[in-house]
Amino acid sequence: MKTTLTALAVALAAMIGVSHVANADALDDIKKSGKIRIAIDLGVPPYGMTDAQMKPTGLDVEAAEMLAKDWGLQFEHVPTTGASRIPSLQTGKADLVISSLSYTAERAKVIDFSLGYAVLRTVIAAPKSVALKSLADLDGKTVGTVRGTTHDTQLTREGPKGMKLVRYEDDATETQAFLSGQVDIFSTAEMMVPQIDKKNPARQVELKFVLDNFKLAVGVKKDEKRLVDEVNAWIAANLKNGRLNELNKKYFGDDLPELILKQ
């Protein structure tokens, strides 16, 4: 009888342990650790980049540092690329992604999103000599894009059948491919175009047309509701007090659009 009771106790303890693991909460884990790991791509200026001392900086970096400080946590930067942002959440390498990540229905199937904290416009760019006005003009053309980005998804879905997509792992690699003449037409974030032009004025790159406008949001592992709610409360407070707007003005020279301010 004693053996039976002992076995039941062990089984009950195991069940409680399993239940505790199943109900583990990311927000509690973060607070207990005293640090927050945030994935940011440093190859997408001015959202993520390095300064003259090779230290991480940019709108996303400052937003991440601000969040960590407000939460009383140590900020830990997790290096990432456009393609590895979501996997960094799924594999537990990062607690949050603040990395020019825009909401899409496809992405929302595998991760959760916060309110928008900034905006991004995706565009098609090419040398001045190349005439392009719409997606239809890409028929028969080779177009560079960054793997796993919204512009990759949009071009794959909406681009003409005769268009050939060449995918690069990050913005820096795509930029180098354009500057070296490997590709003439490419998709990118709007703010990247003038920076690319500065690197090689002879290429005479310019914005041809806008693909889409996106809210940038914080990515969170699926089904971590308390963590999403906490991030949303932080974003709402910092939109109200103007700190996120000041951050946008610092890097883009103007106020956040109504798309963000009136969420």
Side-chain angles (χ1 to χ4, degrees), residues 37 78 86-95 221:
R37 302 166 302 157
V78 178
I86 290 174
S88 71
L89 288 175
Q90 296 172 314
T91 59
K93 290 182 179 179
D95 302 308
K221 191 174 182 179

Side-chain angles (χ1 to χ4, degrees), residues 8-20:
L8 285 171
V10 171
L12 181 60
M15 289 175 65
I16 292 172
V18 170
S19 175
H20 174 72

Side-chain angles (χ1 to χ4, degrees), residues 38 71 78 107 115 126-127 151 168 177 183 192 198 230 239 259:
I38 302 178
W71 287 8
V78 178
R107 289 173 176 171
L115 296 170
H151 35 109
Y168 299 96
V183 65
M192 294 288 289
K198 286 182 181 179
E230 194 85 355
L239 286 175
L259 175 72

Side-chain angles (χ1 to χ4, degrees), residues 12-257:
L12 181 60
M15 289 175 65
I16 292 172
V18 170
S19 175
H20 174 72
V21 171
N23 294 319
D25 183 88
L27 183 60
D28 286 340
D29 291 342
I30 291 167
K31 289 181 177 180
K32 286 177 184 176
S33 73
K35 68 179 180 181
I36 187 160
R37 302 166 302 157
I38 302 178
I40 307 171
D41 184 352
L42 298 182
V44 191
Y47 296 100
M49 52 192 175
T50 53
D51 62 17
Q53 288 73 45
M54 298 306 292
K55 292 182 179 179
T57 188
L59 188 151
D60 285 341
V61 174
E62 287 203 39
E65 291 173 338
M66 188 190 305
L67 182 147
K69 184 177 181 180
D70 289 347
W71 287 8
L73 299 168
Q74 176 188 345
F75 165 60
E76 181 180 313
H77 171 233
V78 178
T80 190
T81 64
S84 65
R85 290 173 299 180
I86 290 174
S88 71
L89 288 175
Q90 296 172 314
T91 59
K93 290 182 179 179
D95 302 308
L96 300 175
V97 170
I98 303 180
S99 186
S100 56
L101 181 69
S102 53
Y103 172 91
T104 68
E106 292 83 0
R107 289 173 176 171
K109 293 176 183 177
V110 292
I111 65 168
D112 289 328
F113 287 88
S114 71
L115 296 170
Y117 68 92
V119 291
L120 179 143
R121 290 211 306 175
T122 54
V123 303
I124 290 293
K128 189 175 182 179
S129 59
V130 179
L132 299 170
K133 292 184 178 180
S134 68
L135 282 172
D137 295 328
L138 299 179
D139 195 26
K141 305 287 197 306
T142 296
V143 181
T145 191
V146 178
R147 189 185 307 279
T149 59
T150 50
H151 35 109
D152 177 11
T153 302
Q154 185 176 3
L155 288 170
T156 301
R157 183 180 62 244
E158 301 175 13
K161 290 183 179 180
M163 178 189 68
K164 178 185 177 182
L165 272 182
V166 178
R167 293 179 175 85
Y168 299 96
E169 291 306 312
D170 52 42
D171 289 89
T173 308
E174 181 189 51
T175 297
Q176 188 55 45
F178 170 75
L179 294 178
S180 63
Q182 295 176 46
V183 65
D184 286 330
I185 305 167
F186 62 102
S187 64
T188 189
E190 179 183 20
M191 78 285 176
M192 294 288 289
V193 179
Q195 296 176 47
I196 294 170
D197 186 48
K198 286 182 181 179
K199 290 182 179 180
N200 190 343
R203 289 286 273 154
Q204 294 188 305
V205 65
E206 64 179 16
L207 189 159
K208 295 300 180 179
F209 59 88
V210 175
L211 285 170
D212 214 338
N213 291 279
F214 295 96
K215 285 183 185 178
L216 296 184
V218 178
V220 185
K221 191 174 182 179
K222 200 71 176 172
D223 299 324
E224 293 292 348
K225 187 177 184 304
R226 286 186 63 234
L227 182 53
V228 174
D229 289 346
E230 194 85 355
V231 173
N232 281 340
W234 180 84
I235 290 173
N238 284 281
L239 286 175
K240 185 175 181 180
N241 65 27
R243 292 170 79 198
L244 285 174
N245 191 58
E246 286 303 313
L247 204 53
N248 196 77
K249 287 171 71 174
K250 175 179 178 178
Y251 285 99
F252 290 101
D254 54 14
D255 293 323
L256 284 166

